[in-house]
Amino acid sequence: QLQLQESGPGLVKPSETLSLTCTVAGDSITSSSYNWGWIRQPPGKGLEWIGNFYYSGSTYYNPSLKSRVTISVDTSNNQFSLKLNSVTAADTAVYYCARRGVGTSSVDYWGQGTLVTVSS
Amino acid sequence: QSALTQPASVSGSPGQSITISCTGTSSDVGAYNYVSWYQQHPGKVPKLMIFDVSKRPSGVSNRFSGSKSGNTASLTISGLQAEDEADYYCFSYTTSSTWVFGGGTKLTVL
């Protein structure tokens, strides 16, 4: 059974860097069949795609966040991470890691989500 | 990139059918058959309901169907049930190799 689990600080100060890790169990993040990425949802608002990486090593980011976001991969621990710098209150959200099938629009597995609050 | 346009809310009575639209551009919805739909109940993780415009994952009721015409994708729910009350989001690939969500639609079952 595939499981994705987000981890990281639940509180980040304004102007600092938000860092989250997604640990994957039950599948390899180097699989050529899937891509892995991050999606967020501010409280009471809609979903926003942040970015994802491909097994080839390519990464793609939401243009509105591109200057502040980095997704990196730790294949030895089957994890991938999100870093978002210079955060503001607008970055307060539930952050989900998720899996999407290559060549499809199917985001079929999601983590449970983790709330990150940006506040001093 | 701008969020895809969905109606903020739709409603229907049990047993009826409703359709939720998702309007984009020729650079996203209209460009590929890579549109999916997600159902999200309050406090819950989004659930995949339709992918690649009209494909239904195993385990999803056949009351849910998807289609696309030009730059607009649609999700239809037939035989509306109380448990269908939730938020629904569309999601599309773009010509910039990025992805974009719709703003979301709140479905109320009267």
Side-chain angles (χ1 to χ4, degrees):
Chain A
Q1 175 73 357
L2 178 65
Q3 290 187 319
L4 292 81
Q5 180 65 59
E6 306 89 350
S7 59
L11 181 65
V12 181
K13 289 182 168 57
S15 80
E16 295 190 345
T17 297
L18 180 159
S19 296
L20 294 174
T21 296
C22 181
T23 301
V24 178
D27 193 6
S28 171
I29 62 173
T30 61
S31 167
S32 60
S33 299
Y34 298 101
N35 299 320
W36 308 84
W38 294 92
I39 292 162
R40 71 179 183 178
Q41 185 171 34
K45 296 187 178 181
L47 299 168
E48 180 179 33
W49 178 78
I50 297 173
N52 56 231
F53 71 90
Y54 291 75
Y55 67 93
S56 63
S58 302
T59 51
Y60 294 89
Y61 301 121
N62 186 321
S64 68
L65 299 171
K66 189 173 183 177
S67 63
R68 299 193 292 129
V69 67
T70 302
I71 294 175
S72 57
V73 181
D74 178 359
T75 56
S76 61
N77 290 306
N78 214 39
Q79 298 175 328
F80 60 99
S81 298
L82 170 71
K83 288 190 185 302
L84 181 66
N85 57 37
S86 304
V87 297
T88 70
D91 295 309
T92 294
V94 174
Y95 286 76
Y96 297 100
C97 56
R99 182 185 86 167
R100 181 178 56 79
V102 168
T104 86
S105 59
S106 167
V107 180
D108 58 353
Y109 277 91
W110 300 61
Q112 285 302 301
T114 187
L115 174 62
V116 179
T117 300
V118 178
S119 174
S120 55
Chain B
Q1 62 192 19
S2 300
L4 307 175
T5 300
Q6 298 181 231
S9 63
V10 298
S11 61
S13 299
Q16 289 185 331
S17 294
I18 64 94
T19 296
I20 299 172
S21 61
C22 170
T23 301
T25 69
S26 57
S27 295
D28 38 60
V29 174
Y32 309 99
N33 286 328
Y34 289 150
V35 178
S36 51
W37 290 90
Y38 300 85
Q39 176 192 65
Q40 187 180 35
H41 289 106
K44 300 298 186 182
V45 176
K47 176 186 177 183
L48 176 67
M49 305 304 286
I50 295 288
F51 69 99
D52 296 350
V53 173
S54 59
K55 298 177 181 177
R56 201 167 43 246
S58 60
V60 171
S61 170
N62 59 11
R63 298 185 299 104
F64 291 83
S65 62
S67 62
K68 191 185 85 165
S69 177
N71 297 335
T72 298
S74 299
L75 173 71
T76 297
I77 308 174
S78 59
L80 210 55
Q81 299 179 0
E83 68 207 47
D84 300 330
E85 184 163 296
D87 294 326
Y88 291 84
Y89 296 91
C90 59
F91 184 56
S92 173
Y93 189 53
T94 81
T95 55
S96 300
S97 301
T98 60
W99 294 81
V100 62
F101 279 100
T105 298
K106 180 177 179 60
L107 169 62
T108 300
V109 180
L110 302 170

